[in-house]
Amino acid sequence: MKIVVCIKPVKSELVYPSESRVEEYLINPYDLYALQESVKIKQFMDCKIICLCMGPMGAVGMMQKALAMGADQAIILNDNLFRGSDTVATSYILAKAIKKIGNVSLVTCGRRTIDGETGQVVYGIGERLRYYCLPEVAEILDASGDALKVMQVTESENLVGQLNLPAIVAFHDFILSQPQISLLALKKARKSEITVWNAADLEVEEEKCGLEGSKTRVMQIEKEICKKKKAYIDGKTEEKAAFIFNIIKGKHS
């Protein structure tokens, strides 16, 4: 059984804004949880876990950590043609890579990225592969044959059911703390080969990648952060309530 875990590299300062980190890139916290849950499937059945990342070559160290966590293979998709890809172009490129890997039973990823927050790539991959897509998965409880027993999070309850494969799932939770990896596992991972595929390897249609293949356009970027002025309210409870009421009334008048 082949499992592909789609992981996105994010700048370390986005994960730890108040810390200075040695690593330039870290695994997106939502994808980190997906990787952890995917590795757990090895407890239930024999499987091969392949981590797939579209990003810069600076993500090699991040992919080595993924191998140290239990992944069996790591692939980076890197090409100038991929730069500027939105969710539509990204899902196209990732789907092409998954098809190239071949015979993939399960694709996993986090429900969103902390630098994008769109949460759309999982649906795009599912549509292109014609895989059943199950979002908001909390945990994989068991695996056997061509099915998984999963727990899904809804607004009102948690549901437990069987998911027939092939399928793609997006995990609900995230992990901010970096996993504890033994030095021996990390040393072994650093000796492993990281596969790199470019546009030619994937045989992509150039007009479907990068800015040309993207359906969204950035019209303007605001670098300045607008902060609202603070207002301190003094006086009795009735006076404070009246002050707040007048503010609200003014906004809606």
Side-chain angles (χ1 to χ4, degrees):
M1 177 178 175
K2 289 183 185 177
I3 302 172
V4 169
V5 184
C6 297
I7 60 179
K8 183 179 181 181
V10 295
K11 289 284 189 178
S12 58
E13 57 263 29
L14 293 177
V15 183
Y16 301 103
S18 59
E19 296 182 22
S20 178
R21 307 284 298 191
V22 175
E23 311 97 323
E24 182 180 4
Y25 294 99
L26 297 174
I27 299 175
N28 172 51
Y30 289 94
D31 298 333
L32 183 59
Y33 185 83
L35 174 58
Q36 185 183 65
E37 284 296 306
S38 299
V39 171
K40 282 172 55 177
I41 298 178
K42 288 187 174 184
Q43 301 173 9
F44 309 122
M45 62 189 303
D46 183 33
C47 60
K48 180 179 182 181
I49 297 177
I50 304 163
C51 284
L52 186 61
C53 159
M54 189 178 83
M57 293 308 298
V60 166
M62 178 197 81
M63 296 299 273
Q64 290 172 338
K65 287 190 174 181
L67 291 172
M69 286 180 61
D72 301 292
Q73 184 180 357
I75 303 173
I76 295 179
L77 309 179
N78 179 268
D79 196 297
N80 287 335
L81 188 65
F82 301 158
R83 292 183 177 180
S85 295
D86 67 353
T87 55
V88 174
T90 296
S91 64
Y92 168 72
I93 297 166
L94 290 173
K96 290 287 287 186
I98 294 168
K99 289 178 181 179
K100 181 176 173 64
I101 293 169
N103 300 316
V104 175
S105 299
L106 177 66
V107 180
T108 69
C109 62
R111 64 171 173 162
R112 64 181 63 175
T113 61
I114 61 172
D115 61 348
E117 294 287 342
T118 62
Q120 298 170 352
V121 172
V122 60
Y123 301 104
I125 296 174
E127 178 67 21
R128 295 181 189 279
L129 296 178
R130 294 293 187 265
Y131 280 14
Y132 182 80
C133 183
L134 185 67
E136 305 296 339
V137 173
E139 186 179 0
I140 293 178
L141 304 173
D142 198 359
S144 60
D146 294 328
L148 301 176
K149 183 179 180 182
V150 301
M151 178 185 293
Q152 184 184 30
V153 178
T154 69
E155 293 183 358
S156 58
E157 60 185 346
N158 292 343
L159 303 175
V160 175
Q162 177 175 294
L163 175 65
N164 294 327
L165 304 177
I168 177 170
V169 303
F171 284 91
H172 173 80
D173 291 322
F174 60 89
I175 301 175
L176 284 178
S177 60
Q178 292 298 295
Q180 296 295 322
I181 302 174
S182 70
L183 292 177
L184 183 62
L186 188 58
K187 185 177 180 180
K188 181 180 178 181
R190 285 173 176 167
K191 293 181 179 179
S192 301
E193 180 183 359
I194 305 294
T195 303
V196 180
W197 287 343
N198 58 26
D201 294 321
L202 299 181
E203 299 181 349
V204 297
E205 298 177 46
E206 293 187 8
E207 65 273 14
K208 294 184 178 180
C209 304
L211 292 173
E212 187 177 358
S214 298
K215 303 302 180 183
T216 56
R217 296 289 184 270
V218 178
M219 303 302 294
Q220 185 177 355
I221 297 177
E222 295 288 346
K223 293 185 178 181
E224 296 183 0
I225 300 176
C226 298
K227 294 183 178 180
K228 294 183 178 181
K229 294 181 180 180
K230 295 180 180 179
Y232 295 94
I233 306 173
D234 296 322
K236 298 180 179 180
T237 302
E238 294 81 3
E239 295 172 337
K240 292 179 180 179
F243 183 83
I244 295 172
F245 176 78
N246 290 330
I247 294 176
I248 297 173
K249 183 179 179 181
K251 287 182 178 180
H252 294 280
S253 61

